Amino acid sequence: MGGISWQEFASPVLLSLKVAGVASFIMLALGCWAAWLMARRRFRGKLLIETAFLLPMVLPPTVVGFILLVLLGKKGWIGSAIEALFDQSIIFTWGAAVIASVVVAFPLVYQTMKTGFTGVNSELEHAARSAGAKEWQVLWYITLPLAWRSVRSAYILGFARGLGEFGATLMIAGNIPHRTQTLPTAIYIAVESGNQPLAWWWAGTIIVISFGFMLLASRPSRHD
């Protein structure tokens, strides 16, 4: 790696994996609940809610970041509540990077899981309910196992998307070395400062990680 120190190289890599890992589990839980609700329930305003779920997919990440900055800042109602509870702002922390990744990648996770849930034979779920199963039991023992491939793909795609999130992360988490500097923001700064070798090392790392996860998403499992 020439004159590049290991600590300088590893810091944004480890932070990106940490942010993407936490964000992907949050996305999976939220995506599972939302996909289950939208695939199995009929109610007024459903189209509007689903459009809101998918909106971050088409909005520029900087717009998403700006909205989050307003909501999570000291003058925002969410930000002021967080500061009152924890005596510190979440802006410009690695937690803000997690929130940005969740919001930006959620539509991808939601849509993937909804497709899987829609493909499950609803008669099997009705049979389980008729046998006395509660809704959480139907979801856990019937729907999730039958939609396993979509659930797995949703998690992996969400992780990969969170790993590569840049615009919204830069807006609300910044680019503080060893604190909030993720791989995409680190690559941007390295290119801006003319440090091409370091930018290539980081770019190669995120390509390898993303390729590995995409390969896992396409690989058949024992549940298929």
Side-chain angles (χ1 to χ4, degrees):
M1 294 176 62
I4 303 169
S5 69
W6 170 252
Q7 184 179 11
E8 183 183 15
F9 167 77
S11 177
V13 176
L14 296 177
L15 181 60
S16 291
L17 292 173
K18 177 182 178 181
V19 168
V22 174
S24 61
F25 278 109
I26 297 173
M27 282 183 275
L28 191 67
L30 293 176
C32 181
W33 171 78
W36 169 261
L37 179 68
M38 302 303 281
R40 292 292 183 261
R41 294 289 184 271
R42 294 178 180 272
F43 53 88
R44 293 183 64 180
K46 181 177 178 179
L47 181 60
L48 290 176
I49 294 174
E50 184 162 45
T51 302
F53 285 163
L54 298 176
L55 193 58
M57 184 182 293
V58 295
L59 286 177
T62 49
V63 173
V64 176
F66 172 70
I67 294 172
L68 289 175
L69 188 62
V70 172
L71 292 175
L72 300 176
K74 292 184 177 182
K75 294 182 179 180
W77 64 276
I78 299 178
S80 58
I82 291 175
E83 190 165 7
L85 286 173
F86 302 101
D87 198 29
Q88 72 172 60
S89 174
I90 196 170
I91 298 296
F92 301 123
T93 67
W94 74 272
V98 171
I99 293 173
S101 295
V102 169
V103 173
V104 172
F106 172 80
L108 183 62
V109 174
Y110 162 75
Q111 193 64 31
T112 304
M113 294 191 73
K114 184 189 172 189
T115 300
F117 289 169
T118 303
V120 173
N121 187 347
S122 59
E123 293 299 322
L124 297 174
E125 296 172 338
H126 293 324
R129 293 188 187 96
S130 299
K134 298 180 180 179
E135 285 299 315
W136 72 266
Q137 292 174 316
V138 174
L139 175 63
W140 186 258
Y141 292 108
I142 305 296
T143 311
L144 286 177
L146 292 176
W148 170 251
R149 183 164 187 170
S150 292
V151 174
R152 182 189 62 178
S153 295
Y155 173 79
I156 293 173
L157 292 173
F159 185 99
R161 180 64 186 87
L163 187 69
E165 165 37 40
F166 172 74
T169 299
L170 190 61
M171 291 284 287
I172 67 171
N175 186 47
I176 307 171
H178 310 297
R179 287 183 56 191
T180 66
Q181 188 179 64
T182 58
L183 272 171
T185 57
I187 293 170
Y188 174 77
I189 295 301
V191 173
E192 284 287 299
S193 61
N195 195 341
Q196 294 284 345
L198 185 54
W200 271 114
W201 275 104
W202 279 330
T205 300
I206 201 170
I207 288 171
V208 169
I209 295 173
S210 299
F211 182 85
F213 272 89
M214 293 299 291
L215 197 62
L216 282 174
S218 303
R219 183 180 179 181
S221 71
R222 60 194 179 101
H223 294 274
D224 298 334

